[in-house]
Each structure stands twice: as structure tokens, then as C-alpha cells.
Amino acid sequence: MGLFGKKVKGGKEEREPLLLTREYRIFKRVEERPKNWFEKLNDLAISILKVKASEDVKRQIEPAVAFTGLRVTPESVMSLVILSIIFFIIAGVFSIFLFGIPIIGGIMVMALGFLVAYYFLKYPVNLAKRYRIKASSQIVLAILYMVVSMRISPNLERALKFASVNISGELALDLRKLLWDIEMRKYPSANEALDDYIRKWKLENEEFAEALRLIRDSQFQPYERAKTVLDQALTVVLEGTRTRMKHYAQDLKMPVMIIHMMGIILPVLGTIMAPLAAVFLSNLLTPAHFVLGYDIALPIIIIWFINNTLNKRPATFSQIDISKHPDLPKPGHFKLGKRDVPAWIFSSLIFLIFFLPGMIYFLQNPDFLVPPVDPETGEVQPTDPNPMLSLVMSSFIVMGIGFGLASYFFLSSFQFIKIQKSVQKIESEFELALFQLGNRVAGGLPTEVAMEYAIDELKDTEIVGLFQRTLKNMRTLGMTFQQALFDKNWGSLKYYPSRLVENIMYTIVDTAKKGIKYAAEGMLRIANYLKSIKETQEYIRELLSDTTSSMKFQAYFLTPMITGLIVAMTDVIVQVLVKLGEYLEGVGASQAMGVNFGMISLGAPSITAALFQLIVGVYLIEVVFILAMFLTKIEKGEDPISLKATAGNMIMIGLVFYVLIALFTSSMFGGLIKDALAGLGII
């Protein structure tokens, strides 16, 4: 195929490129993409300061850059790293001498520079890891499509094209790049190209490389032997996936325990010390310290550790593709009738319903949330006559934030999930349907008659509608089997928009052109392949069941219960210590007892129970979302739709549980404590 055509201009023939290949158009679009933020920062850094990269840095960065297509060099990355350190050191010095920030604050700014520089240094390598994980999720389907194509026609380049067209994501681009290199004569043949490709994936995914090698070698085998080798290729990649996931599930127990104890339980239990610190160290601790610790630092640490754990997750299977479904709403929308409605409209309304009462209350009474400080003594002056009401109002603010997010996640995902489950059910039944149809066709029946028998066998399944519509098109509209499936207006696959089903039916139609015997054999063989894939999926789901059950228990029950009890105990402890301080001060015993010295003073706390509840409530929402993210990625990999649905359910249920426990426990124990203090004559 020529890449250049003739064009007459000014009486002369000129040659201009003819964009005739799909691979070229795809890569032209990829190469012309705008630079991302990291690439722009690299360009800026190397224009200011050029730093030579060491050989070790080059060995790390160059393969990652080649794999991801980042338009950076080891020198530009090192320039960005050094400039980041210099920038934060200067910022730290200026913050100390010009803005009066304490020295420890300036040192923290400088230390942040080294963390940012390390992030920039590892960015290409980490991006390559993410690309490989995403690409690896398509490996099983890629091998399936290549095996199916090779069984029809032992042409390696045709198999590569068939796989690249029918999969998606990074692996599809990777295969298209390989095809483009073959077309541009970088490799003399598909065999040499695949040799290089196998070496590229050998260290990353050995079973994928081995499966590719078997597919390549099958074209040199006799027909019967070639079929066995192709079957073995799919078996190799499935067994490798099972083994990798088994080891990952075993290795996952310790990280999950660490995340559970160090990242969630201990920080939550540590909040029991917060009210005591707020009372005894009121001169040192401010609400900003609690916000920084619980709502910023802890979630960042948990996310960092979780991402490190998830980066080691082996690839399993690609997500169900629902992009062709006719009822699919726009992203961030849901269908109301026939219109796509933005989910943020309703979630904003829910947010305001809960958020506004609490916000109005504290705008009218700001001292109830953050008590004033005496300018002369520097002591906190409590002014809230009804702490329980303030606690309820701050709970409304937390519920507004949580329910607003949860409703957005739910509304923007529930119809997607419904469609996803429907397509998943169709794909799970497709193996049985294909087996029934293949058996009938193999028995010598014409396609129409075979479909009639298959319909009777599949009458209780959802996939039966595919055969019913196909048969109807063939009989009433006089269509061929191919037209009945793929016709733009009346094709039955239009109503069953599964990419997997469409691709396999296309393969079967293509096989049928060689003869009905080949079509029957193809159906039965593909049915066996799909059965093996399904069994592997169930095995992996069983392996991860203990971990996922533990994560759900933490998100739905344990974390909300502990945080709710701590907020209630905080309210009680603060009230007791404040009343005790007032009583001791009133009788003149505080100084005699030595409870007011240096930095430690017994008096009004620096943070109210209402504000503490607000901080812990936001922390709970963050932790539950992080758990939802961890659970979804462990169970399903990269699946934004499932993440939204899981996070919405967890936040909604966990927040309701948290608020009920906090308010009920606070009111119950608050009354008992007041009675006890009244009995002692303290109040």
C-alpha cells in the first residue's frame, strides 16, 4: 500500500502523504496530542537549568519514556528534580525570614521539596507501571482474539490486526504501534516484529510472552498440531493469571492488616486523646492542627500506602465495554425519560438541604463552633449554652457534604451499573448459547433450524433474545445470517451491545464463509475458551473474597461505629473537664492542686465538640472513600463506574450509622454525666 500520491502544482508533480491506514491515523492523532503538565514542566526546567543525568538514572527513565511515549529526556527530568529542590529551599528560607513562620515550618517546606523532587524523578517509572497494569488487563482478550483469528487463517499479521481492533486501552495502542512499525518496514515481517515484542514483555508478563511465542510458532505446525498449540497459548495465559492472582491474594493479607491497623484503626482510636489534648494543651493546640492531622496528613499517608499496594496487583481481566449501549447516559449524567440530566443538580440540592441549617446556625453563632480567646489572658472563653444542639448542627454540615457526594456518585453511576450488569449477564450466558448453537450446527442442521433448537434450550436466559431477533430477521426480512446480526438498522446485535459478543459473532460469520463445518468447530472451540475464562474469573473472585469482606465490614460498620463513639466521648469528656475546671477555679483549688502550670492548663478546650465532630466527620468520609477505592481496585481493577457506585453506597450507609451512634451515645452518656456531676455538687 503506497503512502504517497501524486499532486500537480505549478506544472510539477509533487508527492504528498496519503493517510490510508488506520494505524497511521491513530498514531498521527496520538503524536499530535497536547503535552501534559509533566512534559511542560520538563520543558520549562531544561530551559532554565540543564543537568546531566547519571547512567543509573538513564537506565531507569529511558525504558519508561519509550514505553509510555512521554516527550521528556533523562536530562530534562533531572533538571526538574534539581530546580524543585532549589525552589522549595528558597521558599522555606523566605517563609522563615520574611513571613515569620517558625523554623520547624520552614524546615517542613524544605523537606517537602525533596518529596516533590522524588515524585518527579519516579514519575516516568510509575507512569510506566500504571500503563503496564492497564495494558495487562486486556492480555487475556488479546490472546483470545489472536487464537481465534489464527484458527480461521494462520496469518500472524491478520491476528495482530484483529486483536488490536477489538481490544481497547494501552495494549491496543501498543499493538497498533507494532503494526505501524511493520507497515513502515521497521521490521521485515510480522515474525521479527513479534520476536521484539515478546522480548519487550518477557520481564513484565512472562505468560503473555509465552502465549505470543506459541501463537507465532503455531503457523509453522501441521493443522491438527497448530490447533493444540493455539489452545495451549490461551491455557498458558489463563494459568499464569490464576497463579499471579493467587500469590497476590496471599501477599495482600499483611498490607491489608497494616492499612486496617496503622491507617484506620489506630488513627481513629488516637482521636480519644484529642479531647484531653484540647483541654490540657489548649495553649498549644488549635483546630488547624486537628484539620491538618486528620483531614489532610492521614488521608494522604493512607492513599500513598494503598497505591503502593495496588501497584503490585497483577492484571486479571478487562472491564466490560458498554460504550455502544443505546441507553447509556453521558458521563456525570443520568437519564430522566429521554433526557440526560446532570447529576450535580440533584446532589447540590441534597447538599444544601442538610448543609444550610448547620451553616446558618454557626454563622449566627460563630462562638459556638470556635470559642473566642481572651486577648489579655489568652484563655479560651466557652459561650455555648447548648453543646448538644451545636453537635447536631455540625452533624448536619457533615451529612450535607457526605450525602451530597454519595448522591452524586449514585446518580451518575446507577444506570451505568444496571447496563453493566445486563451486559455482564449476557456475556456470562453467551458461552452456553454458543455451545448449544455449535452442537446443533455440528450435527448437520442448517443455521435457521439450529437456532430454533437453541432457542428452546435457552428459553430461560436473557441471551435467547439475540437468537430470536436474528431468526426473525432471517425469516421475515430475508436477511443472511451476517445481515441479521450486523445490519445497521435491524441487526440483532444492536439490541445486545456487548463488544465481546459482537467480536465473536463477527469471527463466527467470517469462519462460516469457509464452510459450515468450520463455523460449528469455531463455535464449540470459542465456547470452551469462554468457559475457561469464566472459571478463572470465579477462581480469582473466590481468592479475594476474604479481603473484600473485611474491607466492606470496615467501611460499612467498624469505622463509622468507632468514630461515632469517639465523637460522643469527646463531647462528654470536654463537658466534664470544662465543668471540673470551672468548679476548681470557683473554689480556688486549681492553683493549690497544681493543675495550671506552664503549657498545661485545665480549662476550656481549644476545640469544641461540634468542631471536633466536623473534623472527624470529614475524616470519616475521606476514609470510607479510600476504602471504596481500595476495594474496587482489588476486586475489579480500574473501574470508575463501580468505584462511584461502591463509594456512594458506603458513604451513605456509613455516614448514617456514624451520625446515629454519635448523637445517641452523646445524648445518653451526656445526661448520665450531668446527673453524676450534679450529685457531686460540681454543677
Side-chain angles (χ1 to χ4, degrees), residues 661-675:
I661 286 179
L663 296 181
F664 174 76
T665 308
S666 182
S667 61
M668 181 179 69
F669 283 100
L672 294 175
I673 293 297
K674 286 181 180 179
D675 292 341

Side-chain angles (χ1 to χ4, degrees), residues 556-561 564 652-662:
Y556 284 117
F557 180 76
L558 191 60
T559 304
M561 181 188 70
M652 185 74 71
I653 295 173
L655 197 56
V656 169
F657 195 44
Y658 158 77
V659 170
L660 290 176
I661 286 179

Side-chain angles (χ1 to χ4, degrees), residues 167-178:
I167 62 174
S168 58
E170 282 72 10
L171 188 60
L173 288 174
D174 208 29
L175 288 175
R176 288 165 192 162
K177 183 178 185 304
L178 185 67

Side-chain angles (χ1 to χ4, degrees), residues 556-590:
Y556 284 117
F557 180 76
L558 191 60
T559 304
M561 181 188 70
I562 293 174
T563 49
L565 288 173
I566 287 172
V567 166
M569 291 299 101
T570 299
D571 182 37
V572 171
I573 291 171
V574 167
Q575 290 188 49
V576 169
L577 293 177
V578 168
K579 294 297 181 184
L580 184 59
E582 291 174 354
Y583 173 76
L584 293 175
E585 186 177 356
V587 300
S590 60

Side-chain angles (χ1 to χ4, degrees), residues 55-90:
E55 291 300 320
D56 288 341
V57 171
K58 286 182 180 180
R59 278 195 295 269
Q60 290 182 33
I61 293 178
E62 285 176 348
V65 168
F67 192 88
T68 59
L70 279 174
R71 285 167 285 185
V72 300
T73 63
E75 287 73 22
S76 67
V77 173
M78 284 305 301
S79 299
L80 180 59
V81 168
I82 299 301
L83 278 179
S84 301
I85 295 172
I86 294 172
F87 173 79
F88 277 94
I89 289 175
I90 293 173

Side-chain angles (χ1 to χ4, degrees), residues 439-463:
N439 267 336
R440 299 296 179 181
V441 173
L445 294 177
T447 307
E448 290 186 35
V449 178
M451 289 180 69
E452 282 186 347
Y453 280 106
I455 288 170
D456 289 337
E457 297 290 339
L458 302 168
K459 57 186 176 183
D460 295 327
T461 64
E462 193 169 332
I463 193 68

